Amino acid sequence: MAVMISHTSNAQKFLEDASGLTNSAGNPRVKTLIHRILCDSVKIIEDLSVTPEEFWRAVNYLNVLGVRQEAGLLVAGLGVEHYLDLLMDAEDKLAGKSGGTPRTIEGPLYVAGAPLSDFEARLDDGTDLGVVLFMQGQVRNTSGEPLAGAVVDVWHANTLGTYSYFDTTQWEFNLRRRIVTDANGRYRFRSIVPSGYGCPPDGPTQQLLDQLGRHGQRPAHVHFFISAPDHRHLTTQINLDGDRYLHDDFAYATRDELIAKIIFTDDPERAAAYGITGRFAEIDFDFTLQLSDQPKEQQRHERVRALEG
Ligand code: FE
């Protein structure tokens, strides 16, 4: 029979003290959060009879997670980041906010301040010999009006499944651009077809997923922030149709409305019209934003991001 002491007044007083609830300095919100975390932690330790060995293994795990900069990957892999999306969806429903392209997770690999251009851009620097991708579409609002001057902030992995900046062998903004839509709300870009990717196989996220009997793979995808004045900021991704992990994403980011059809073509005449030779791929994808008069909703959530700030 496990020994339970967390309900005793001594233990409760001690946890309140450790959380700073018994002093008047510090930050009340942080105290409330830490108090709850401490109370729930000792409950877990008691209820599941966590051994000292397990406890210290978990402490060490957090250290390794930090050293490897994988905390953002772990919260995606455990589905917590997707859970936040589900929660925001439910809040929207309750508030009567509906329509538009669904949100999905940002992931940990955005870099702020990518080069900005009007209407079109080339994302790749020509060093990755992947299949050339032409993507285009329109940004509209839920009333169907095209949004001129919207910013399509796009980032994706290369054919090895790595991201510039974090993969220091690439130029820091390779496969990253911000494109301002034209008078008809349209954007277009040339890039390369990205690959899916997995968690670093020797890292702590994959190590934990192994213990859960889960893989750490993502389908090929392209990330977007879409924003326009007087509209709600959208954080989303498109997932490329046909990928074997499309409906088995370790980060749970795929949503039906975000599956993008990708058409591969070998037609030399059409390639020539694009000014290229060989096989290429095309994606057409439109984004729809909800109206908003609230400045906070018009911006992405605050979090620590590379080069932001
Ligand atoms: Fe990604």
Side-chain angles (χ1 to χ4, degrees), residues 26-300:
N27 179 318
R29 174 68 175 166
V30 173
K31 291 179 184 192
T32 302
L33 289 168
I34 293 297
H35 182 244
R36 179 62 184 265
I37 290 167
L38 288 181
C39 289
D40 286 0
S41 298
V42 298
K43 280 294 283 175
I44 291 168
I45 291 169
E46 287 182 347
D47 290 350
L48 302 180
S49 302
V50 173
T51 65
E53 289 78 10
E54 287 174 323
F55 177 78
W56 291 110
R57 210 179 297 150
V59 170
N60 186 63
Y61 183 83
L62 294 179
N63 279 335
V64 175
L65 199 63
V67 169
R68 293 290 299 258
Q69 294 273 294
E70 284 195 15
L73 195 60
L74 183 70
V75 293
L78 289 180
V80 187
E81 193 174 3
H82 178 60
Y83 185 83
L84 293 183
D85 283 342
L86 296 178
L87 199 58
M88 287 188 278
D89 288 352
E91 287 167 358
D92 282 357
K93 197 173 171 193
L94 200 63
K97 295 172 185 169
S98 63
T101 305
R103 59 166 64 88
T104 196
I105 67 167
E106 174 181 331
L109 301 171
Y110 178 74
V111 177
L116 184 70
S117 59
D118 288 329
F119 175 50
E120 60 187 353
R122 178 170 176 180
L123 277 54
D124 68 303
D125 61 7
T127 57
D128 189 324
L129 302 177
V131 175
V132 174
L133 168 68
F134 296 101
M135 179 164 171
Q136 61 167 2
Q138 187 183 42
V139 181
R140 294 186 293 264
N141 63 23
T142 49
S143 305
E145 296 161 345
L147 298 179
V151 177
V152 175
D153 194 339
V154 50
W155 71 104
H156 68 77
N158 65 7
T159 57
L160 298 174
T162 65
Y163 283 81
S164 63
Y165 181 87
F166 302 95
D167 167 8
T168 54
T169 67
Q170 300 179 54
W171 178 54
E172 64 182 353
F173 291 121
N174 192 36
L175 311 179
R176 301 176 185 277
R177 288 295 185 280
R178 289 175 299 155
I179 304 166
V180 180
T181 57
D182 72 5
N184 296 313
R186 299 202 64 84
Y187 73 91
R188 70 180 186 191
F189 63 80
R190 171 182 171 169
S191 194
I192 50 162
V193 178
S195 280
Y197 54 85
C199 297
D202 64 341
T205 304
Q206 188 58 57
Q207 185 193 10
L208 180 59
L209 291 171
D210 287 345
Q211 297 287 313
L212 305 181
R214 292 182 45 203
H215 70 72
Q217 300 297 312
R218 299 214 59 201
H221 58 276
V222 181
H223 295 265
F224 293 92
F225 286 152
I226 312 286
S227 58
D230 303 317
H231 289 78
R232 273 185 111 184
H233 172 89
L234 174 68
T235 298
T236 198
Q237 309 178 18
I238 57 163
N239 298 279
L240 306 192
D241 200 6
D243 192 291
R244 66 176 284 211
Y245 291 107
L246 184 64
H247 296 292
D248 188 21
D249 176 6
F250 99 101
Y252 305 99
T254 305
R255 313 192 91 164
D256 288 345
E257 303 91 330
L258 300 175
I259 297 171
K261 205 172 169 132
I262 179 164
I263 299 169
F264 289 90
T265 309
D266 292 294
D267 181 343
E269 276 182 31
R270 293 208 51 227
Y274 272 123
I276 61 160
T277 55
R279 187 172 167 77
F280 65 96
E282 292 168 298
I283 297 173
D284 276 28
F285 200 89
D286 297 342
F287 297 95
T288 308
L289 301 184
Q290 292 175 14
L291 280 155
S292 173
D293 57 7
Q294 296 183 42
K296 197 166 187 289
E297 285 189 344
Q298 295 169 13
Q299 292 169 11
R300 54 190 180 235

